[in-house]
């Protein structure tokens, strides 16, 4: 049986990728960001996932205002790093897990979560920056990845409660796959940030800290929080945080917090990062 062993959440700020790719990771500004992932790199080298189910949002790269799937699952054999306007990031092609992805798609649709099936797609910083943060700069990514894109770019995004329930359904889907696989689920984006309008640059450390505490210890309650709270308190792009609830829903009610990192600033964003392991029976 495939099992979800751990959850990871992390911000996905594109400038983090640019800093790594251009050899600036050791600079004063960036070394403080990367320091928060040193433990994580050692942890994941030991955890050795076979597959990462990677919840992220596309930033009008693969999708556009022409069509906006709320939930889209990548079933392709591979996904190329996207050109977001300044050339594709020099990172490895992402190898998919089409058989498992197709199984999850069928299971989720049977559990009444309507998905868009994506058989060809490039992946943007929302997906590649978290891979870089956890795996560094390898010549090939050490595991397969199922990209799962959530619309948090164009209003209305899915609610936190729906994301949390989706996480539970993903767990059932994974656990009904008849192959021994070590699967991790990652939720990316956030934390507080607003990239536009009069409140551009908004950071809310108090909100972020409470969110980190609550997603670990009381996710049922956190899942009830409406969109407007995110927009008001965490900024227009802070709504990316609902994706963390998909990750949390796929884990046990009680989890072990293995690692937490919070740092301001990275570009316009408060960087948050958690590693959660399912409690042993
Ligand atoms: C930034 C953060 C994001 O999440 C994003 O998608 C784009 C930019 C930033 O802080 O610059
Ligand atoms: Fe983003």
């Amino acid at each position: 049986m495939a099992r979800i062993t751990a959850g990871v959440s992390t911000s996905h700020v594109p400038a983090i990728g640019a800093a790594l790719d251009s050899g600036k990771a050791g600079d004063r500004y960036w070394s403080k960001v990367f320091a928060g992932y040193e433990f994580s790199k050692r942890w994941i080298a030991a955890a050795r996932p076979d597959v990462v189910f990677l919840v992220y949002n596309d930033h009008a790269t693969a999708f556009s205002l022409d069509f906006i799937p709320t939930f889209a699952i990548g079933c392709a054999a591979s996904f190329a790093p996207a050109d977001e306007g300044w050339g594709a990031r020099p990172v490895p092609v992402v190898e998919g897990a089409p058989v498992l992805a197709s199984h999850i798609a069928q299971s989720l649709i049977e559990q009444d979560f309507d998905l868009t099936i994506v058989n060809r797609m490039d992946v943007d910083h929302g997906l590649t920056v978290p891979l870089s943060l956890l795996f560094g700069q390898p010549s090939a990514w050490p595991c397969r990845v199922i990209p799962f894109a959530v619309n948090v770019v164009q209003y209305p995004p899915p609610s936190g409660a729906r994301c949390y329930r989706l996480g539970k359904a993903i767990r059932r889907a994974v656990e009904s796959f008849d192959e021994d696989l070590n699967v991790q689920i990652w939720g990316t984006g956030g934390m507080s940030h607003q990239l536009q309008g009069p409140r551009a640059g908004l950071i809310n450390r108090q909100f972020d800290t409470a969110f980190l505490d609550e997603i670990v210890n009381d996710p049922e309650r956190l899942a009830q929080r409406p969109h407007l709270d995110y927009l008001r308190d965490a900024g227009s792009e802070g709504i990316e945080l609902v994706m963390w609830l998909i990750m949390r829903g796929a884990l046990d009610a009680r989890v072990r917090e293995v690692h937490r990192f919070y740092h301001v600033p990275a570009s316009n964003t408060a960087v948050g990062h958690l590693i959660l392991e399912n409690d042993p029976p």
Side-chain angles (χ1 to χ4, degrees):
M1 176 180 107
R3 287 178 52 238
I4 294 185
T5 53
V8 173
S9 64
T10 178
S11 308
H12 61 214
V13 182
I16 292 175
L20 254 187
D21 301 343
S22 60
K24 294 198 167 67
D27 290 6
R28 232 173 78 82
Y29 181 92
W30 290 111
S31 61
K32 293 181 194 160
V33 176
F34 290 107
Y37 293 82
E38 283 309 313
F39 170 87
S40 317
K41 286 189 199 155
R42 292 193 301 276
W43 172 83
I44 204 154
R48 295 167 58 92
D50 299 304
V51 179
V52 168
F53 189 92
L54 206 157
V55 181
Y56 77 111
N57 67 291
D58 178 81
H59 299 76
T61 304
F63 311 131
S64 71
L65 294 186
D66 290 348
F67 57 97
I68 306 160
T70 299
F71 298 121
I73 187 165
C75 294
S78 64
F79 305 89
D83 181 350
E84 298 179 55
W86 48 90
R89 288 192 62 207
V91 294
V93 166
V94 175
E95 300 301 329
V99 178
L100 176 57
S102 303
H103 167 84
I104 293 172
Q106 178 174 339
S107 172
L108 290 180
I109 289 167
E110 283 173 356
Q111 294 180 69
D112 299 332
F113 283 95
D114 304 317
L115 305 184
T116 299
I117 311 291
V118 181
N119 292 319
R120 189 171 48 151
M121 168 168 80
D122 292 349
V123 285
D124 75 9
H125 67 271
L127 186 132
T128 61
V129 166
L131 289 177
S132 297
L133 282 168
L134 271 288
F135 293 125
Q137 294 173 292
S139 54
W141 300 121
C143 65
R144 292 176 288 153
V145 175
I146 298 176
F148 191 89
V150 179
N151 169 41
V152 288
V153 167
Q154 173 68 31
Y155 203 83
S159 69
R162 183 156 171 80
C163 287
Y164 187 63
R165 284 201 303 276
L166 173 60
K168 290 177 186 285
I170 290 167
R171 181 174 192 166
R172 285 191 288 271
V174 169
E175 290 182 348
S176 63
F177 190 67
D178 197 21
E179 187 186 333
D180 276 336
L181 289 174
N182 174 359
V183 180
Q184 291 185 359
I185 183 163
W186 295 9
T188 71
M191 297 192 83
S192 56
H193 62 307
Q194 171 144 346
L195 302 176
Q196 59 201 307
R199 296 200 310 161
L202 177 145
I203 298 286
N204 187 341
R205 181 182 290 268
Q206 203 180 352
F207 173 94
D208 290 339
T209 306
F211 187 95
L212 289 166
D213 290 339
E214 216 169 358
I215 199 163
V216 177
N217 298 314
D218 198 356
E220 297 275 345
R221 184 157 159 236
L222 179 62
Q224 299 312 314
R225 195 171 285 182
H227 294 147
L228 216 51
D229 283 18
Y230 290 89
L231 295 174
R232 185 189 59 231
D233 296 337
S236 51
E237 278 67 44
I239 190 68
E240 289 181 344
L241 284 167
V242 293
M243 296 187 289
W244 292 31
L245 280 162
I246 299 179
M247 175 278 292
R248 187 63 183 87
L251 301 179
D252 290 348
R254 276 186 48 238
V255 287
R256 209 173 21 254
E257 182 179 326
V258 177
H259 183 55
R260 179 189 294 209
F261 176 60
Y262 183 75
H263 175 77
V264 179
S267 186
N268 302 292
T269 300
V271 166
H273 171 40
L274 285 174
I275 297 178
L276 306 176
E277 286 179 351
N278 272 333
D279 241 3

